[in-house]
Amino acid sequence: MDIRKLQRVIVNALEDVKAQDIKIFNTSKQTALFERVIVATANSNRQTRALGHHVFMEVKGNGGDAVGIEGLETGEWVLVDCGSAIVHIMQPALRAYYNLEELWGGHPVRMKLLEDENKEDSE
């Protein structure tokens, strides 16, 4: 699956289950293992697990490589391996503590999110 289509499927899945503060980073210059890191916030263990599961199933359902999922047991930090993209779904305290944006954030990818479209509509 093309990386742009893959990131759109992932972001749509995250938005479906109301993930917050979705950030996408191009990591192709930092590692050869994957092209994108996507970070999102969830407000509870239940939502974190639901987001991870939904992303996994949507990527698989759209013909992408949903390789694996980790962290469903605790639900504080769920990682979904989508081959060319890695998705981190974290609760706010863990996201602030680990600050993955500092590690991977050198090349943010601009993508119109549903929440951005809603802001424009209300203005």
Side-chain angles (χ1 to χ4, degrees):
M1 177 184 295
D2 170 68
I3 190 62
R4 288 188 185 112
K5 182 177 181 192
L6 177 60
Q7 75 185 20
R8 174 47 65 195
V9 167
I10 292 168
V11 168
N12 286 350
L14 290 169
E15 289 179 328
D16 285 348
V17 189
K18 307 294 187 227
Q20 298 173 345
D21 197 20
I22 302 167
K23 303 289 183 204
I24 308 160
F25 303 105
N26 182 342
T27 58
S28 59
K29 293 184 171 135
Q30 294 166 288
T31 181
L33 298 174
F34 41 85
E35 296 179 56
R36 298 288 189 272
V37 167
I38 301 172
V39 183
T41 300
N43 290 319
S44 68
N45 293 6
R46 175 180 267 180
Q47 185 187 22
T48 306
R49 288 191 292 264
L51 281 161
H53 181 72
H54 191 61
V55 167
F56 186 85
M57 297 309 290
E58 286 295 307
V59 168
K60 228 178 172 150
N62 282 281
D65 290 329
V67 179
I69 187 168
E70 296 180 26
L72 291 176
E73 305 80 34
T74 63
E76 294 176 347
W77 178 351
V78 173
L79 181 141
V80 184
D81 183 347
C82 301
S84 301
I86 302 296
V87 184
H88 296 274
I89 306 159
M90 309 168 85
Q91 291 189 26
L94 283 177
R95 185 165 177 178
Y97 181 78
Y98 287 102
N99 195 11
L100 295 180
E101 287 87 347
E102 186 176 316
L103 178 65
W104 298 110
H107 302 283
V109 174
R110 302 216 187 284
M111 185 175 174
K112 194 162 199 116
L113 301 175
L114 187 59
E115 62 189 38
D116 296 337
E117 291 175 7
N118 290 340
K119 286 179 189 173
E120 290 174 6
D121 291 343
S122 64
E123 291 176 356

